[in-house]
Amino acid sequence: MDKPRVVAISQARMTSTRLPGKVLMPAAGRPLLAHHLDRLSRTPGLDAVVLATTVNATDDPVAECAESLGVAVFRGDEQDVLGRFAGAAALARADQVVRVTADCPLIDPVLVGRLIAAFRDDPSLDYLSIDSTRYPRGLDAEVFPRRLLDEAAANATDPAEREHVTPYIYRRPERFRLGTALVPVEPVEPPDQRWCVDEPADYELVRRILEALLPSNPAFGWQDCCKLLRDHPDWMDINRAVRQKTLH
């Protein structure tokens, strides 16, 4: 049997409701999106990376940023994120899809690689994710077969399932085999960290982390971020008041 083609698809657009233009905001001399895609592209076990953005002219700079890094781009309807993912998966001829979001500039390629390996090692699984309640928020990733993405795109009618891509799968445990989410080997210290960028306070924290770590350790991992925050405990207060957006 041929090895499945594993493709990471990330979504990005300029019209974020809470922080418009966030994916192209600068940190350490590059847009956040460039950091995100560069880190994602170093994931072991990954065959390709695709950016799914919209057909809106406002997202031309998003597409240009990805293309300048050699990342393929699929453009579709702004409201139908599920449809965009299905189109991106078809463009990349994916067999398995890793879903991530571009508001996670500190995404850890080693951790995503661990997710891919765990999914590969249990062929019976339909879905596997990283436990974002146990890891710092902003390392999130999910993996599933493209056939389920195509099924979801064809059948999902709930607006939340069109917007968030994977609820069609994980809301149906009676139909699909959901794996136990990956958790850290040891408790994360400090706990309750938030590294995704939704609001200005999130951007300030992530910008500081990137500018502190990149010069001396370009391949830094999530544990390096934790160590930095242990060294600068006051940084944890920067975005402590930000609340995660919930599923509609």
Side-chain angles (χ1 to χ4, degrees):
M1 183 176 173
D2 292 339
K3 174 181 174 291
R5 179 169 168 81
V6 184
V7 176
I9 301 174
S10 184
Q11 64 194 72
R13 62 189 174 100
M14 291 294 282
T15 51
S16 164
T17 52
R18 289 197 277 179
L19 189 59
K22 64 185 181 182
V23 293
L24 296 185
M25 294 174 80
R30 303 177 78 193
L32 292 179
L33 179 61
H35 292 293
H36 168 80
L37 293 174
D38 182 55
R39 292 175 65 78
L40 185 62
S41 68
R42 300 200 300 268
T43 300
L46 206 56
D47 295 301
V49 175
V50 182
L51 184 73
T53 192
T54 83
V55 294
N56 301 348
T58 50
D59 286 318
D60 289 350
V62 173
E64 290 163 7
C65 177
E67 288 165 347
S68 73
L69 298 168
V71 172
V73 176
F74 179 86
R75 304 185 71 165
D77 183 85
E78 179 176 12
Q79 304 305 321
D80 186 11
V81 187
L82 175 55
R84 270 193 273 150
F85 266 76
L91 174 71
R93 308 183 316 281
D95 297 310
Q96 295 177 356
V97 173
V98 178
R99 176 184 178 245
V100 297
T101 58
D103 56 6
C104 298
L106 303 181
I107 194 160
D108 188 304
V110 174
L111 182 57
V112 179
R114 184 182 154 212
L115 178 72
I116 292 169
F119 190 71
R120 178 195 62 218
D121 291 344
D122 189 346
S124 70
L125 289 181
D126 290 317
Y127 173 89
L128 189 63
S129 65
I130 290 168
D131 190 335
S132 59
T133 68
R134 301 279 293 276
Y135 280 99
R137 171 73 66 170
L139 301 174
D140 316 32
E142 308 164 284
V143 61
F144 43 89
R146 177 182 158 196
R147 60 181 172 79
L148 295 191
L149 178 65
D150 291 341
E151 178 183 329
N155 297 326
T157 56
D158 185 322
E161 292 182 351
R162 305 301 307 188
E163 179 184 356
H164 297 284
V165 182
T166 51
Y168 179 90
I169 302 171
Y170 64 68
R171 283 175 165 177
R172 292 168 172 81
E174 75 286 353
R175 285 194 57 198
F176 305 122
R177 183 148 186 263
L178 313 179
T180 302
L182 267 60
V183 299
V185 176
E186 298 178 353
V188 174
E189 185 59 41
D192 303 323
Q193 298 180 62
R194 177 187 169 79
W195 303 340
C196 57
V197 178
D198 281 325
E199 297 194 3
D202 297 324
Y203 168 64
E204 175 61 22
L205 175 63
V206 167
R207 183 189 62 78
R208 288 193 192 192
I209 292 172
L210 285 165
E211 292 179 353
L213 291 176
L214 274 174
S216 59
N217 184 10
F220 69 85
W222 71 270
Q223 295 97 331
D224 298 303
C225 300
C226 289
K227 181 181 183 304
L228 180 68
L229 290 169
R230 289 195 297 271
D231 293 340
H232 298 274
D234 55 307
W235 289 12
M236 288 282 293
D237 293 330
I238 294 172
N239 68 342
R240 192 180 298 278
V242 178
R243 292 290 168 260
Q244 184 67 23
K245 184 179 177 182
T246 56
L247 191 72
H248 294 170

